[in-house]
């Protein structure tokens, strides 16, 4: 970790210094992600566990998948399953994942790639390691984020965005001590490749030991910081935060993060974090299993449509035709 990096941050565009009138967002809460298992048994951390959905809006759910070094024969994925009413964002830092859906779509993502799937009106899909990775084993680490759709977009046609690692916008902090990989949204006017229905920002940052990151942040967005590795500090009071912890930030126009000078050996390169923000949808949420709708009646309809095969049928798993 990480999959996408540069050896010389000085060649990158830099986030400008904050305006003197910028207001730092305070820390509302810091929670620790519990460990669990997903799909056919791969380990995950439930990053949003215990956090009020109103503070997460427009986000619903996020799993950190791994980090796990599989022995030969151990890699696992998910069986065929449905979704409706939201988007899944699968970001792979290390490893390979094949995606395949009931309408013939899908692809392969690896080392810094992202697949953005708009489930919309409904789809069946499967996520699995390719056969050669099952045979060899290897390192696997990534995230899956669920982004809610507003009522007006919940039943639109499903679609995919394959965002390759080379398309991710790379930006340096003002002091040159942090690398930002902008997957969606923009930083300092530099936009990531993700096209989003709900205005949002998704950034993977590496903050070198002892360095500080200050970012301007849209005041109409919420703000979440999840640390996937290392330890540091967040907010104007520099609250301690570490591996597997999520900080929910309050209102303001700027974010402040810093990495501790001393890190565990495995995080010698610095603290690794995901920074998320979006415009809250502020609509009722009815969520059960793989469906996120606005009312219980819509949930019942989603289960009925799935049981009747209206979201499609599984197809034989094979070459998904993606680019590794």
């Amino acid at each position: 970790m990480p999959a996408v990096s540069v050896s010389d941050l000085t060649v990158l565009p830099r986030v400008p210094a904050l305006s003197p009138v910028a207001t730092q967002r305070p820390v509302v809460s810091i929670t620790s992600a519990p460990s669990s298992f997903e799909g056919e048994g791969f380990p995950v951390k439930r990053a949003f566990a215990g956090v009020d959905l109103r503070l997460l809006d427009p986000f619903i759910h996020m799993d950190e998948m791994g980090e796990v070094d599989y022995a030969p024969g151990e890699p696992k994925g998910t069986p065929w399953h449905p979704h409706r009413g939201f988007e899944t964002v699968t970001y792979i830092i290390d490893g390979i994942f094949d995606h395949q859906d009931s309408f013939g779509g899908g692809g392969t993502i690896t080392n810094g790639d992202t697949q953005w799937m708009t489930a919309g009106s409904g789809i069946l899909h499967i996520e699995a390691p390719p056969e050669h990775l099952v045979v060899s084993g290897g390192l696997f680490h990534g995230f899956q984020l669920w982004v809610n759709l507003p009522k007006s977009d919940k039943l639109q046609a499903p679609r995919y965005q394959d965002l390759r690692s080379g398309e991710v916008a790379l930006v340096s902090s003002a002091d040159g001590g942090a690398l930002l990989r902008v997957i969606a949204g923009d930083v300092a006017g530099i936009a990531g490749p993700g096209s989003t229905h709900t205005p949002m920002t998704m950034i993977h940052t590496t903050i070198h030991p002892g360095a500080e990151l200050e970012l301007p942040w849209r005041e109409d967005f919420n703000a979440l910081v999840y640390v996937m590795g290392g330890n540091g500090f967040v907010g104007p009071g520099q609250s301690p935060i570490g591996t597997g912890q999520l900080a929910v930030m309050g209102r303001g126009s700027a974010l402040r993060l810093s990495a501790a000078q001393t890190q565990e050996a495995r995080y010698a390169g610095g603290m690794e974090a995901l920074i998320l923000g979006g415009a809250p949808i502020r609509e009722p949420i009815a969520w059960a299993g793989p469906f996120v709708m606005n009312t219980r009646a819509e949930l019942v309809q989603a289960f009925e449509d799935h049981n009747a095969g209206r979201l499609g049928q599984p197809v034989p798993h094979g070459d998904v035709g993606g680019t590794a």
Side-chain angles (χ1 to χ4, degrees):
M1 183 170 65
V4 180
S5 192
V6 293
S7 57
D8 183 5
L9 297 186
T10 64
V11 304
L12 299 177
R14 294 198 179 195
V15 177
L18 290 179
S19 163
V21 298
T23 54
Q24 295 280 352
R25 288 181 175 239
V27 174
V28 173
S29 67
I30 294 179
T31 53
S32 297
S35 297
S36 186
F37 292 92
E38 186 56 83
E40 295 170 337
F42 59 86
V44 298
K45 290 178 182 175
R46 306 290 195 196
F48 293 166
V51 180
D52 191 322
L53 279 176
R54 291 171 294 184
L55 297 175
L56 299 173
D57 187 11
F59 309 112
I60 296 290
H61 172 80
M62 187 168 75
D63 278 343
E64 180 180 10
M65 305 180 293
E67 179 178 12
V68 57
D69 196 359
Y70 285 119
E74 285 187 343
K76 299 174 177 67
T78 66
W80 284 95
H81 59 283
H83 288 305
R84 173 180 278 182
F86 64 101
E87 300 182 290
T88 64
V89 182
T90 306
Y91 173 49
I92 298 298
I93 298 171
D94 291 294
I96 308 172
F97 234 20
D98 283 347
H99 288 239
Q100 199 168 12
D101 72 40
S102 51
F103 296 99
T108 298
I109 51 175
T110 183
N111 297 354
D113 295 338
T114 301
Q115 185 177 78
W116 205 295
M117 186 185 82
T118 303
S121 59
I123 198 168
L124 261 65
H125 80 147
I126 187 173
E127 301 158 300
E131 185 59 32
H132 69 84
L133 184 63
V134 175
V135 172
S136 67
L139 188 62
F140 182 76
H141 188 201
F143 284 84
Q144 186 168 97
L145 171 70
W146 290 13
V147 185
N148 200 10
L149 288 170
K151 184 177 180 65
S152 59
D153 291 335
K154 280 191 179 294
L155 296 183
Q156 68 173 252
R159 71 163 184 158
Y160 282 103
Q161 299 175 68
D162 284 312
L163 312 177
R164 297 299 166 186
S165 59
E167 301 175 86
V168 172
L170 301 179
V171 186
S172 169
S173 60
D175 67 0
L179 171 65
L180 292 86
R181 305 162 190 83
V182 186
I183 297 167
D186 72 83
V187 172
I190 299 172
S195 174
T196 70
H197 290 277
T198 300
M200 61 165 285
T201 297
M202 179 177 178
I203 299 166
H204 170 193
T205 184
T206 303
I207 307 175
H208 294 168
E212 183 174 85
L213 171 62
E214 291 189 319
L215 287 177
W217 206 252
R218 281 180 51 166
E219 292 192 68
D220 60 332
F221 277 18
N222 65 355
L224 309 169
V225 176
Y226 178 79
V227 175
M228 66 183 89
N231 62 91
F233 309 92
V234 62
Q238 291 294 271
S239 301
I241 191 169
T243 302
Q245 291 190 310
L246 175 80
V248 176
M249 311 302 293
R251 299 178 65 84
S253 60
L255 290 176
R256 183 184 180 194
L257 295 161
S258 61
Q261 185 68 56
T262 302
Q263 301 283 342
E264 293 180 47
R266 63 182 303 196
Y267 302 122
M271 184 173 76
E272 301 282 347
L274 276 186
I275 306 174
L276 301 169
I281 297 172
R282 296 193 176 95
E283 293 179 349
I285 294 174
W287 173 16
F291 305 124
V292 181
M293 307 303 293
N294 295 109
T295 68
R296 186 178 184 281
E298 291 169 346
L299 279 179
V300 171
Q301 186 64 57
F303 279 103
E304 289 178 353
D305 288 346
H306 170 50
N307 292 335
R310 299 187 189 105
L311 306 189
Q313 298 293 334
V315 296
H317 180 60
D319 182 4
V320 298
T323 303

